[in-house]
């Protein structure tokens, strides 16, 4: 008997199907972020480009708890910050950050940012992550540091500088603030955020305990190719999606 094929990112027959899929994945990602404690008041946003209008993106409504969001609660915002679908406000910082990231990275569908505990603790050190573990190698030579903090990101210009720091990488550490990740799918962006926060946690623990041994550059590069690709990031999210939909199926509505 041959082994079953690994699941693949779906291909859609219509834009409507693809849009619904993105909104459902976003709602699931918010519910997972809530379970993992990444919510912090009104902070944090995950966004997904609309499949028909790439200048517009779906994002969470302002001041609503991640853990109750349904696909139908998400808000569509255009390139000027105007809400074009949905009847909720959008966080000004969410628009300032995500609009500029989406504009700078046409290769990406989604971006995730939250004030998760370990990500923000690590961000205060103003350092990149070291390749201390296999999982951390997903970020080897593929994340950046936005080495500046000037208050809440409210202006497009600040969002532009942040997007510039991200460059072509999958993630950026925002000093004294938190983490931001991007992906070709919502699944991928959400997974990089989750595993990056855990990599921050792991490095904080390891450095608190002693002097951790880094993986050498050639091996870190090899492992990055094995665990850090777009498809690997997408695949890693699938079991979390299966879990949250089984427990909270109303998120799909
Ligand atoms: Zn923030």
């Amino acid at each position: 008997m041959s082994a079953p094929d690994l699941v693949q990112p779906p291909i859609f027959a219509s834009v409507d199907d693809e849009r619904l899929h993105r909104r459902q994945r976003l709602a699931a990602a918010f519910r997972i972020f809530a379970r993992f404690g990444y919510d912090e008041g009104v902070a944090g946003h995950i966004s997904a480009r609309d499949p028909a209008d790439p200048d517009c993106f779906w994002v969470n409504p302002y001041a609503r708890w991640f853990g109750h969001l349904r696909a139908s609660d998400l808000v569509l915002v255009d390139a000027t910050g105007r809400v074009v679908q949905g009847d909720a406000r959008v966080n000004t910082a969410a628009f300032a950050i995500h609009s500029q990231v989406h504009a700078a990275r046409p290769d990406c569908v989604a971006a995730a940012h939250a004030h998760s505990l370990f990500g923000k603790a690590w961000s205060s050190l103003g350092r990149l992550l070291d390749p201390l573990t296999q999982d951390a190698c997903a970020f080897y030579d593929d994340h950046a540091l936005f080495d500046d903090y000037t208050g809440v990101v409210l202006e497009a210009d600040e969002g532009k500088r942040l997007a510039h720091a991200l460059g072509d990488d999958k993630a950026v550490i925002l000093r004294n603030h938190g983490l931001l990740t991007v992906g070709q799918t919502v699944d991928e962006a959400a997974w990089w955020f989750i595993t990056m926060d855990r990599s921050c946690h792991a490095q904080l623990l390891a450095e608190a305990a002693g002097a951790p041994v880094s993986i050498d550059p050639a091996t870190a590069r090899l492992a990055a190719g094995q665990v850090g690709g777009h498809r690997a990031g997408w695949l890693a999210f699938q079991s979390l999606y299966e879990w949250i939909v089984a427990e909270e199926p109303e998120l799909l509505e």
Side-chain angles (χ1 to χ4, degrees):
M1 199 172 78
S2 61
D5 285 342
L6 285 173
V7 284
Q8 299 276 354
I11 294 168
F12 297 93
S14 77
V15 161
D16 287 345
D17 288 350
E18 188 165 20
R19 180 179 295 117
L20 178 64
H21 177 86
R22 284 188 192 175
R23 293 174 69 174
Q24 290 179 333
R25 296 283 156 154
L26 262 183
F30 282 115
R31 301 263 182 142
I32 292 164
F33 275 32
R35 293 271 190 140
F36 291 167
Y38 298 164
D39 58 302
E40 179 85 21
V42 300
H45 2 92
I46 315 173
S47 64
R49 207 185 282 285
D50 187 76
D53 188 347
D55 291 334
C56 293
F57 60 88
W58 295 92
V59 70
N60 44 314
Y62 188 52
R64 292 274 313 277
W65 186 48
F66 292 174
H68 284 164
L69 293 180
R70 300 168 189 239
S72 55
D73 291 323
L74 300 169
V75 175
L76 185 65
V77 187
D78 73 9
T80 67
R82 192 169 59 95
V83 172
V84 293
Q85 196 171 323
D87 58 0
R89 285 184 56 201
V90 168
N91 185 334
T92 307
F95 176 74
I97 294 172
H98 289 254
S99 61
Q100 296 306 319
V101 169
H102 283 292
R105 291 293 298 271
D107 59 311
C108 290
V109 159
H113 165 65
H115 297 184
S116 57
L117 181 60
F118 301 110
K120 66 182 168 184
W122 180 261
S123 80
S124 71
L125 301 176
R127 291 166 54 198
L128 292 174
L129 286 166
D130 294 324
L132 296 189
T133 63
Q134 176 173 300
D135 298 326
C137 286
F139 302 98
Y140 185 72
D141 211 15
D142 199 12
H143 74 297
L145 175 67
F146 183 50
D147 197 11
D148 193 10
Y149 180 76
T150 56
V152 176
V153 180
L154 297 174
E155 304 295 336
D157 189 52
E158 180 78 349
K160 245 185 208 107
R161 295 201 305 121
L162 187 159
H164 179 76
L166 170 67
D168 292 329
D169 292 342
K170 65 159 66 85
V172 59
I173 295 166
L174 314 176
R175 178 164 62 75
N176 305 107
H177 184 173
L179 310 176
L180 182 140
T181 58
V182 296
Q184 293 183 349
T185 55
V186 171
D187 312 53
E188 189 195 341
W191 173 253
W192 295 140
F193 191 94
I194 292 162
T195 193
M196 192 179 200
D197 190 70
R198 289 174 177 170
S199 290
C200 291
H201 191 179
Q203 186 155 356
L204 288 164
L205 285 175
E207 292 188 352
V213 177
S214 267
I215 297 169
D216 69 81
T219 309
R221 210 163 287 121
L222 172 71
Q226 294 166 328
V227 302
H230 299 298
R231 194 168 168 282
W234 176 86
L235 187 59
F237 185 77
Q238 302 315 302
S239 60
L240 292 174
Y241 182 78
E242 180 190 323
W243 162 64
I244 202 70
V245 169
E247 299 228 344
E248 304 177 18
E250 75 281 2
L251 73 87
L252 299 174
E253 294 166 9

